[in-house]
Amino acid sequence: MKNLISFDEASEKANLSCNELLFKALDKQLGLYHMSSKDKREALVPCIDGILHHASVGDFIHQYKPLLDQIEYVDVQIAQPLSLNERAIKELLVSSQFNEVELYRELAPEIDDVDFWKTEREVHDWEEDLPEYDIIKLEQIQICELELEKCLSVKGLPSKNASKDPSSTALKVVGLLMHHLSKSPKYASGDAPNKSQIKELLLGLAVELDVNNYGLSKVDERLLKQASDYLETQKN
């Protein structure tokens, strides 16, 4: 649990968009987790798949056989990390949210001759006044930092340290662009570039070009200062 980081933080560390991380999770390169906000017991019912009954035009009813004599109970504790299953990840890709029930389905044991699992509440969905499951949103999802580091190293992607330590060439490029911008009074502070205004410019450009602003939205001015200081050391 100590190694879990927020989805936004993982995206920034890996320099990957949310969807790129989700696709990696779908490929089983990463595990995604949701930390339970409550103590809970859930009854899971193993089911045998049936046919899609053609009830009327455009209306199909999924028929299945619930094995109610083989109910399994799972207990979840508050602050317990729960793994997301494939269905939950796909729903995040489509709508940035998924139904809480998928977290409990993932806890079902492996039993021979069982096609899928439903919760007891789902099996009795015709009954009124049954409590509804919560909707889990993307910002509530966490990633194991160690798994992320391993994934990045295997794929040869930049690690979090690489993203925090820009190369000397990158610093030189940023520094030169800053000094070019400082020729305009708006981006100058005395004889030096106005780092705060340049930061706002970068955020504005990200919006204009519809570019993911992860990293830009949280970047402080240390990088810009580092680039400016480095440029001073490179003068002939």
Side-chain angles (χ1 to χ4, degrees):
M1 187 170 69
K2 293 181 180 179
N3 292 322
L4 293 180
I5 58 176
S6 71
F7 208 85
D8 283 354
E9 186 178 353
S11 178
E12 185 175 347
K13 283 179 180 291
N15 195 27
L16 295 171
S17 69
C18 293
N19 276 4
E20 286 174 320
L21 286 175
L22 289 172
F23 277 117
K24 287 187 177 298
L26 205 55
D27 290 337
K28 302 189 184 305
Q29 298 177 36
L30 285 173
L32 303 185
Y33 304 90
H34 171 69
M35 194 172 295
S36 176
S37 61
K38 54 199 168 189
D39 293 322
K40 184 177 183 61
R41 165 167 281 201
E42 194 71 46
L44 299 175
V45 182
C47 300
I48 305 298
D49 205 1
I51 63 171
L52 278 177
H53 174 63
H54 196 174
S56 60
V57 177
D59 184 20
F60 295 87
I61 299 175
H62 183 200
Q63 295 182 322
Y64 63 93
K65 178 183 178 181
L67 306 179
L68 295 171
D69 59 336
Q70 298 183 40
I71 286 181
E72 295 280 344
Y73 297 95
V74 293
D75 291 299
V76 173
Q77 297 180 338
I78 189 169
Q80 177 180 339
L82 301 174
S83 297
L84 273 63
N85 62 14
E86 183 177 312
R87 174 75 184 191
I89 297 170
K90 287 181 176 179
E91 289 187 12
L92 285 174
L93 278 165
V94 173
S95 60
S96 298
Q97 62 183 30
F98 66 92
N99 194 300
E100 174 194 13
V101 71
E102 299 301 335
L103 298 172
Y104 308 126
R105 230 190 295 280
E106 182 68 5
L107 299 174
E110 292 187 10
I111 298 180
D112 293 337
D113 301 323
V114 169
D115 294 316
F116 57 88
W117 292 80
K118 283 184 173 289
T119 64
E120 189 177 37
R121 272 192 272 173
E122 289 180 302
V123 173
H124 295 274
D125 61 355
W126 67 85
E127 295 185 15
E128 297 181 357
D129 300 326
L130 288 177
E132 295 184 355
Y133 289 104
D134 292 338
I135 297 299
I136 309 298
K137 298 185 180 298
L138 181 61
E139 54 264 29
Q140 297 174 267
I141 304 307
Q142 296 179 303
I143 293 178
C144 176
E145 188 172 16
L146 296 178
E147 290 182 12
L148 180 64
E149 289 287 339
K150 182 178 179 180
C151 175
L152 296 180
S153 63
V154 168
K155 295 299 179 182
L157 294 172
S159 68
K160 67 175 182 179
N161 291 329
S163 65
K164 287 185 177 179
D165 297 322
S167 69
S168 57
T169 301
L171 288 174
K172 186 179 293 186
V173 170
V174 172
L176 288 170
L177 290 173
M178 286 171 58
H179 277 275
H180 176 72
L181 285 170
S182 68
K183 293 178 181 179
S184 167
K186 180 178 180 180
Y187 301 110
S189 177
D191 295 330
N194 187 323
K195 293 182 284 294
S196 179
Q197 285 296 322
I198 292 175
K199 174 184 173 182
E200 292 302 317
L201 172 65
L202 293 173
L203 290 170
L205 287 172
V207 173
E208 179 182 336
L209 299 174
D210 195 24
V211 172
N212 191 319
N213 69 355
Y214 282 113
L216 291 178
S217 60
K218 296 181 180 179
V219 71
D220 55 33
E221 296 171 14
R222 285 178 296 175
L223 172 63
L224 301 180
K225 182 179 185 305
Q226 189 178 355
S228 184
D229 292 344
Y230 179 76
L231 199 62
E232 290 296 319
T233 69
Q234 297 299 299
K235 290 185 177 180
N236 295 323

